[in-house]
Amino acid sequence: MSDAPELDAGPDTTATGVSGTVPEAGPGGAPGGSRPGPDPATRAAITAGRAPAIGRGARAARSTDAASAGAASGSGGSGSGSAGSGGSGSASTAASPGARDATRAGFPADRRGVLLGLATAGVAVITGVALNGRGASSDSGADAVAATGNTVEVTVTVSGMRFVPDAVDVTPGDRLVITLDNTSDQVHDLVLANGAESGRVAAGRSATVDVGVVTGPVEGWCSIAGHRAQGMVFHVTAAGTAGAAGHGAHGGGDAAGSGGSGGSAGSGGGAVPDYAVVLPADVRGFDPALAPADASVAVHEHTFTVTEQVMHVGAGVTQMRMTFNAGVPGPILRGRVGDVFRITLVNKGSMSHSIDFHAGVLPPDDVMRSINPGESLVYEFTAQRAGIWLYHCSTAPMSVHLASGMHGAVIIDPPNLTAVDREYVVVQSEIYLGPEGGQTDAAKVAAKTPDLFAFNGIAFQYRDRPFTARPGERVRFWVLDAGPSEPMSFHAVGLQFDQVFFEGAWTLGGPDRIGAAWSGGSQALGLHPAQGGFVECVPPAAGTYTVVSHSFADMEKGAMGHLVVAD
């Protein structure tokens, strides 16, 4: 969080426009009713910055015509009433506290935004009318579309890292005026590809963007560093023009609500994650709480059944997952050095699968062989060494099978491991999105370009369903990097680790009290794929501590959660 004082944004100023026609409200209150929306492939291109800036190069050349078009639209006849203005003009004012609270209800703001990839530092705030784009038409073909004289006024709010609504449909020839009502807790802006822009808008403030006469589709985004990549994109479509036809409906509801699709995708394109979407209440998450090893059991027998099914992966997206026992990660096994593990693998999937237990030491030829659908095998090993050990499908391509969900952990306690108040397991993995509800994108896996990072199979799930503890309790986190390709650095914001067990060895604390003589501590547990260990900490007081991969780009894609400490 920046310590710089917030600058006074000054009074809001307003663009005065003529009352115009406004699209009827569709489901969720989004303007446009059944308007065609941008297809997710287009949205993904805009978010990634690959889509062209429509008309930007012709901006100077058409400034004179644009000004004329703006004047024509301003002198046109009256319409059916403007959205949110109640009269012939519009007022750009700070959103009321009640309205802002209602908008934020679906996604509580975390004012330590740097921990969620939502930070801006040292911002000079400008609010009011954007003059740069006034009267500018949305396409270089402005001469072919006559101005109707109607003005469409739309209010756009901010929820998390989404504009709401994130699209509006306008009749060609209408003038579009957008009021950006910043209902979030940090600075944003709205920049359109035709050059119109809001300037920086402080939290709780509003600004007006005169898009000009709309002749074709226009894309927009928040230009603050990282916000566009986080999903802050906006689409103007023009009914009946090329580029507006053929797109599927794209909901404009609050991204933080439980019903938002967030990650829908068009045919052939990857699903588009929405990092603000809260995990729906009816989705079963992964319980990270660990029970102690059962000292009365020396032989552990389990059946692992392979299935392939569509599951939530976080950020509003579902994918076809390959699973052990219908979960990602698979079952977390726990025992002691010398215990025997006898696993029956049953393949009820649609392709060949296998399993490789890193906790076992034995020839791979038979037990790690791939088996076809309907077949089974028995994999038996004796735990010889302590640690948290990865297991995964070893059928080619292993990277795709593992990234699709076929991984889990075996925890073998070091001898005389002391009891703690709470134990949790965190298995980090990467998610490479294919189409919504579809299979993992193998090309992304090969290129090592993950879309999401997950703790225990679902991105952001422990942001929405936090770990818990009481003040003064000792908390142990067993951590494993399942990969398949990226490293991690496990860190707890506001806490330090006084016990560290890494890859089978104490590096801090333990029976020999390593580091005690010099008051040693640890800030992070760094792991490469297939490495693991545990750390311990003691939250001193009530509060919300954030656990993250300190590789912040990965944290911003889902490798994070909260530890809520309360009496």
Side-chain angles (χ1 to χ4, degrees):
M1 182 186 304
S2 172
D3 293 328
E6 182 176 354
L7 299 180
D8 184 2
D12 291 339
T13 53
T14 304
T16 302
V18 177
S19 300
T21 58
V22 179
E24 295 180 1
S34 58
R35 57 160 173 77
D39 65 277
T42 300
R43 180 184 177 88
I46 295 297
T47 301
R50 298 190 303 272
I54 302 172
R56 184 178 290 276
R59 175 179 165 191
R62 61 171 193 267
S63 59
T64 302
D65 291 341
S68 299
S73 66
S75 62
S78 62
S80 60
S82 63
S85 65
S88 62
S90 63
S92 177
T93 61
S96 68
R100 291 198 300 273
D101 291 345
T103 303
R104 295 171 184 170
F107 183 63
D110 184 345
R111 295 189 182 274
R112 299 156 301 165
V114 66
L115 302 176
L116 295 177
L118 312 179
T120 56
V123 179
V125 178
I126 304 172
T127 63
V129 181
L131 300 179
N132 290 347
R134 176 170 297 284
S137 63
S138 61
D139 189 87
S140 58
D143 293 342
V145 177
T148 64
N150 293 328
T151 297
V152 176
E153 297 182 339
V154 176
T155 296
V156 175
T157 62
V158 179
S159 178
M161 279 292 176
R162 287 292 293 273
F163 292 114
V164 179
D166 64 359
V168 61
D169 189 64
V170 180
T171 300
D174 283 359
R175 175 186 172 204
L176 175 62
V177 176
I178 299 171
T179 296
L180 177 62
D181 188 2
N182 186 359
T183 50
S184 76
D185 65 343
Q186 62 178 296
V187 176
H188 292 292
D189 66 10
L190 176 60
V191 175
L192 282 300
N194 69 347
E197 56 184 294
S198 67
R200 298 291 169 91
V201 183
R205 298 282 188 163
S206 301
T208 300
V209 185
D210 188 346
V211 181
V213 174
V214 174
T215 62
V218 186
E219 302 297 342
W221 55 88
C222 179
S223 69
I224 294 175
H227 289 200
R228 182 177 183 176
Q230 291 271 315
M232 293 198 73
V233 292
F234 186 80
H235 312 270
V236 178
T237 59
T241 64
H247 294 165
H250 187 82
D254 188 339
S258 61
S261 60
S264 60
S267 60
V272 180
D274 180 349
Y275 303 151
V277 169
V278 175
L279 188 64
D282 60 350
V283 174
R284 185 185 69 178
F286 187 92
D287 183 357
L290 285 174
D294 188 346
S296 67
V297 177
V299 178
H300 306 259
E301 296 193 69
H302 300 274
T303 297
F304 282 15
T305 301
V306 175
T307 57
E308 298 149 16
Q309 59 197 75
V310 175
M311 301 174 67
H312 281 265
V313 296
V317 178
T318 63
Q319 292 282 275
M320 178 64 71
R321 302 288 263 164
M322 305 177 189
T323 73
F324 295 113
N325 287 6
V328 179
I332 305 298
L333 307 182
R334 189 168 193 180
R336 299 165 300 158
V337 173
D339 284 1
V340 173
F341 291 81
R342 186 175 298 127
I343 311 300
T344 300
L345 179 68
V346 179
N347 186 357
K348 291 188 177 180
S350 64
M351 64 189 78
S352 296
H353 291 291
S354 57
I355 196 164
D356 171 6
F357 284 96
H358 291 197
V361 181
L362 69 170
D365 306 64
D366 182 52
V367 294
M368 298 183 198
R369 72 184 187 277
S370 295
I371 58 175
N372 294 319
E375 296 180 344
S376 64
L377 62 75
V378 176
Y379 193 131
E380 182 174 318
F381 64 90
T382 299
Q384 299 181 24
R385 297 176 179 87
I388 178 169
W389 302 91
L390 177 68
Y391 68 79
H392 60 90
C393 180
S394 58
T395 299
M398 282 186 277
S399 58
V400 173
H401 284 241
L402 194 154
S404 297
M406 301 194 77
H407 57 265
V410 179
I411 296 174
I412 306 300
D413 288 358
N416 304 313
L417 181 64
T418 58
V420 293
D421 297 298
R422 297 177 190 261
E423 281 189 279
Y424 294 112
V425 63
V426 173
V427 179
Q428 179 174 301
S429 62
E430 303 136 34
I431 298 173
Y432 302 82
L433 297 176
E436 172 64 19
Q439 296 181 353
T440 296
D441 189 321
K444 291 180 181 178
V445 176
K448 301 181 183 179
T449 55
D451 299 284
L452 295 170
F453 285 78
F455 283 175
N456 296 336
I458 301 175
F460 299 109
Q461 69 172 314
Y462 303 118
R463 173 197 66 189
D464 304 331
R465 303 176 186 180
F467 306 98
T468 60
R470 292 186 176 90
E473 288 188 331
R474 178 163 289 275
V475 182
R476 178 182 293 146
F477 287 97
W478 286 90
V479 187
L480 175 68
D481 184 359
S485 298
E486 298 298 326
M488 69 177 294
S489 178
F490 187 78
H491 170 72
V493 178
L495 298 172
Q496 295 176 348
F497 305 134
D498 59 8
Q499 301 282 318
V500 179
F501 186 83
F502 168 71
E503 281 293 287
W506 293 96
T507 60
L508 188 67
D512 296 332
R513 303 184 69 241
I514 299 171
W518 54 88
S519 300
S522 173
Q523 59 195 313
L525 178 63
L527 302 171
H528 287 288
Q531 289 186 325
F534 70 74
V535 292
E536 295 179 14
C537 56
V538 179
T544 300
Y545 303 84
T546 304
V547 293
V548 302
S549 173
H550 213 279
S551 178
F552 277 154
D554 304 344
M555 175 270 289
E556 291 161 358
K557 293 181 179 181
M560 60 83 62
H562 294 312
L563 171 63
V564 174
V565 178
D567 293 313

